[in-house]
Amino acid sequence: MKKIIYRNGLLGGLLVSTNMIITTVFMKANPGAEPNMVLGFSSMFFSFLFVIIGIKQQESFKDSENSFWNSFKIGLYISAIISTIYVLVWLVIYYNFYPEFMENYSNIVLKNTKPDELAAKTLEMEQMKEAYKNPMFVVLYTYFEVFPLGILVSLITPTITLIKQKISK
């Protein structure tokens, strides 16, 4: 079981982090260019396909316990590894290569904000920039960006398996 968790977690983490590195290099080279949110979240989704693969690999073993909770736990472990790799790679990028990220991101957000929402959005961006000065908030923001999707995939996969089992009986 550990081998399945580590292998799929590392592969998913490698996939999502590779996309983050490519996107960051592009954003750093083009400070005014907007990041493609669809591409970013798509890479997160594709990395969490390794959660599905890991759960299915575990369920294929005849001698293993194939319960909803066991499958969910495996998915959660894989998601935690993927998310942790994502966070660690972001910390290296942010603190060593792209410390001006929040300033550039704030400028992009404010540029695309409607005039009647500008004051509120400016305050929000200032608060976010202030929070980003604390490494703990950088870690938390980054986990909240990626880990909820992993939890969702970890819940949906065993649920679908359970429904299929009930239908086939």
Side-chain angles (χ1 to χ4, degrees), residues 25-163:
V25 168
F26 174 77
M27 284 183 65
K28 187 160 174 67
N30 305 291
E34 291 184 45
N36 187 328
M37 295 294 187
V38 172
L39 181 63
F41 284 107
S42 295
S43 75
M44 287 181 199
F45 175 76
F46 285 124
S47 72
F48 285 114
L49 288 177
F50 285 99
V51 171
I52 298 169
I53 292 168
I55 290 172
K56 293 299 176 189
Q57 288 171 342
Q58 182 62 29
E59 289 174 349
S60 70
F61 291 124
K62 302 295 181 213
D63 60 337
S64 67
E65 180 189 341
N66 290 325
S67 69
F68 172 87
W69 292 110
N70 191 46
S71 296
F72 173 67
K73 184 173 60 172
I74 290 166
L76 209 55
Y77 288 148
I78 295 169
S79 296
I81 292 171
I82 291 169
S83 299
T84 300
I85 291 170
Y86 182 83
V87 169
L88 292 173
V89 169
W90 176 246
L91 290 173
V92 169
I93 290 170
Y94 179 68
Y95 285 108
N96 294 298
F97 302 105
Y98 198 19
E100 65 276 6
F101 167 77
M102 276 310 297
E103 190 63 40
N104 290 347
Y105 176 72
S106 176
N107 291 339
I108 290 168
V109 169
L110 294 175
K111 179 176 76 174
N112 293 319
T113 302
K114 296 176 184 172
D116 57 326
E117 300 171 358
L118 192 57
K121 190 55 89 172
T122 301
L123 179 61
E124 180 185 331
M125 287 291 103
E126 289 302 320
Q127 290 171 340
M128 197 169 174
K129 284 194 286 190
E130 189 62 34
Y132 238 68
K133 292 178 182 177
N134 182 337
M136 183 57 80
F137 281 110
V138 176
V139 169
L140 289 174
Y141 276 135
T142 311
Y143 266 115
F144 285 137
E145 185 179 316
V146 68
F147 194 54
L149 183 57
I151 294 170
L152 189 63
V153 173
S154 298
L155 275 171
I156 291 172
T157 303
T159 301
I160 291 172
T161 301
L162 190 64
I163 291 169

